[in-house]
Amino acid sequence: MAKIERAASGRLERRSVVRALLEDRGEMLVIGGLGAPAWDITAAGDDPRNLPLWGGMGGAAVMGLGLALAQPSRPVLVITGDGEMLMGIGSLATIATKQPRNLSVVVLDNEHYGETGMQETATRHGVDLAGMARAAGIADSRRVETEAEVLALREAIRAGQGPLFAQVKIDAATLPLVLPPREASILQARMREAILGPAAHLQ
Amino acid sequence: MQSATDAATDWPDQIYALLKEHGIRQVALVPDAGHSRLIKRCLADNDMKVVTLTTEEEGIAMLFGAWLGGEKGVLLMQSSGVGNCINMLSVPIAHRTPCPMLVTMRGDYGEFNPFQVPMGNATQAVLEAMGTLVKRADTPEDVAPTVNATLRLAFNTYRPTATLIGQRVLGAKTFGK
């Protein structure tokens, strides 16, 4: 398996974390929150089973809920950023009320708004996203800071014992852009076809 | 043929029948008194996944996720909730995915509460500014055909659509005055 790396800061390197979570993904469907998480899932290998978002800030986790409810037999993984999660923080309560076993929400927490000039987010000031998720009713809510914890998270995402939430503390370095297709009708249509086959286009 | 008296009270049941006819499996909502009878019908249906949201924009996002997975959904909300949806409507527009909304109006016809009027007055303009096809139903008899058209437009032409159910149909909340 690809090595999980640490940056000079001592914190986990985001793309190595995402690569580890997605490697040998099987049936897993992945939604990437706008900005760096969308580039991260694309850097791990652009794939029809990925839905990288170019907008809809605050909506990634609850998109995952709609998808997880529609496809209960497949693991659904939302990978998003701390700023994006904070904007839709109420969706943790919405998700908790439904307790979808197949849904995992992983926040790559660099404590900054990366796309707009690295302004600090609330997590920079100690806001505990995993604690908020747990308090909302997502019992398996973790803070992830080590390689071993990433590997345990990788297994948990695949186990279908969710809902699961993870706040992964990552290094804040801005990495080279790896852009997915920008025509969003293609992004949705290719994912639907990957899930539903050619019948997707006749629904 | 339904009598006018039946339609006056049965329109929520007619909407429920349409949701079944269109194969709606996910119902996202922030409650409104005007939708309470429909919500009860949906909650009693084991084939429908009813999700109560913390804010209406979650519903726009949830219906997108549902469609990715091959399920049809509908968003039920009050007119004030439309204001919470504005930016999230970029998601079904850019992806070209169905997003039907059934909106019960406040601030529309005999409103008592001043805070309901600004958003009620702006509901249609705001939705249309965000590329949504909007139809109004201002009599009980109009509700079912308008909702049917809204569902058909959304799922056949892949876009956000809305039926606004006027306060004239619902009756204004009077707070005892």
Side-chain angles (χ1 to χ4, degrees), chain A residues 40-104:
Chain A
D40 293 338
I41 66 168
T42 305
D46 190 35
D47 191 297
R49 294 164 296 175
N50 285 356
L51 196 294
L53 285 161
W54 285 88
M57 187 162 177
V62 78
M63 286 177 201
L65 175 63
L67 179 54
L69 291 174
Q71 289 290 324
S73 64
R74 286 176 181 250
V76 173
L77 171 60
V78 175
I79 298 182
T80 192
D82 43 309
E84 203 276 346
M85 189 70 249
L86 285 160
M87 189 171 282
I89 200 72
S91 62
L92 295 177
T94 306
I95 290 166
T97 64
K98 302 312 286 184
Q99 294 290 313
R101 305 281 278 176
N102 56 328
L103 178 61
S104 303

Side-chain angles (χ1 to χ4, degrees), chain A residues 32-35 38-39 51-57 179-184 187, chain B residues 95:
Chain A
L34 81 170
W39 322 148
L51 196 294
L53 285 161
W54 285 88
M57 187 162 177
L179 302 182
R182 199 163 70 252
E183 173 48 82
L187 296 172
Chain B
H95 290 95

Side-chain angles (χ1 to χ4, degrees), chain A:
Chain A
M1 205 179 95
K3 191 176 178 324
I4 299 163
E5 295 161 20
R6 294 230 193 190
S9 65
R11 287 201 167 164
L12 292 163
E13 194 280 320
R14 58 188 306 149
R15 288 201 176 150
S16 71
V17 171
V18 170
R19 269 196 306 275
L21 296 181
L22 298 194
E23 204 169 80
D24 300 324
R25 61 194 278 175
E27 298 270 272
M28 185 191 295
L29 304 171
V30 178
I31 293 173
L34 81 170
W39 322 148
D40 293 338
I41 66 168
T42 305
D46 190 35
D47 191 297
R49 294 164 296 175
N50 285 356
L51 196 294
L53 285 161
W54 285 88
M57 187 162 177
V62 78
M63 286 177 201
L65 175 63
L67 179 54
L69 291 174
Q71 289 290 324
S73 64
R74 286 176 181 250
V76 173
L77 171 60
V78 175
I79 298 182
T80 192
D82 43 309
E84 203 276 346
M85 189 70 249
L86 285 160
M87 189 171 282
I89 200 72
S91 62
L92 295 177
T94 306
I95 290 166
T97 64
K98 302 312 286 184
Q99 294 290 313
R101 305 281 278 176
N102 56 328
L103 178 61
S104 303
V105 178
V106 171
V107 176
L108 301 173
D109 179 13
N110 68 357
E111 304 181 351
H112 292 84
Y113 293 99
E115 297 302 303
T116 54
M118 294 302 281
Q119 299 87 353
E120 295 176 350
T121 65
T123 61
R124 180 79 183 89
H125 301 271
V127 168
D128 175 5
L129 289 175
M132 293 174 87
R134 196 175 304 113
I138 301 176
D140 188 347
S141 292
R142 314 158 173 224
R143 185 180 169 99
V144 172
E145 295 180 276
T146 68
E147 293 84 341
E149 287 164 347
V150 173
L151 292 174
L153 174 62
R154 179 189 147 85
E155 295 316 305
I157 289 166
R158 286 158 173 72
Q161 303 295 308
L164 185 158
F165 180 92
Q167 178 182 12
V168 183
K169 301 301 282 191
I170 55 161
D171 183 64
T174 302
L175 302 177
L177 295 174
V178 182
L179 302 182
R182 199 163 70 252
E183 173 48 82
S185 63
I186 291 173
L187 296 172
Q188 61 87 0
R190 73 181 193 174
M191 178 180 260
R192 281 171 49 81
E193 188 172 77
I195 299 170
L196 306 163
H201 310 306
L202 298 171
Q203 186 175 12

Side-chain angles (χ1 to χ4, degrees), chain B residues 66-88:
Chain B
W67 182 250
L68 286 176
E71 283 198 342
K72 293 180 177 178
V74 69
L75 172 57
L76 310 181
M77 62 182 152
Q78 177 189 106
S79 48
S80 52
V82 167
N84 294 343
C85 294
I86 299 172
N87 182 57
M88 201 62 79

Side-chain angles (χ1 to χ4, degrees), chain B residues 102-162:
Chain B
L102 306 183
V103 180
T104 43
M105 293 302 297
R106 295 286 307 270
D108 176 43
Y109 195 87
E111 179 60 54
F112 176 82
N113 181 346
F115 284 71
Q116 288 286 355
V117 174
M119 193 61 232
N121 194 46
T123 299
Q124 183 158 358
V126 162
L127 284 169
E128 289 178 341
M130 285 304 292
T132 302
L133 297 182
V134 181
K135 308 293 172 198
R136 282 194 66 110
D138 283 303
T139 66
E141 294 77 13
D142 265 353
V143 173
T146 310
V147 168
N148 192 29
T150 287
L151 293 168
R152 290 178 66 86
L153 267 173
F155 293 113
N156 292 337
T157 77
Y158 316 106
R159 67 186 72 243
T161 64

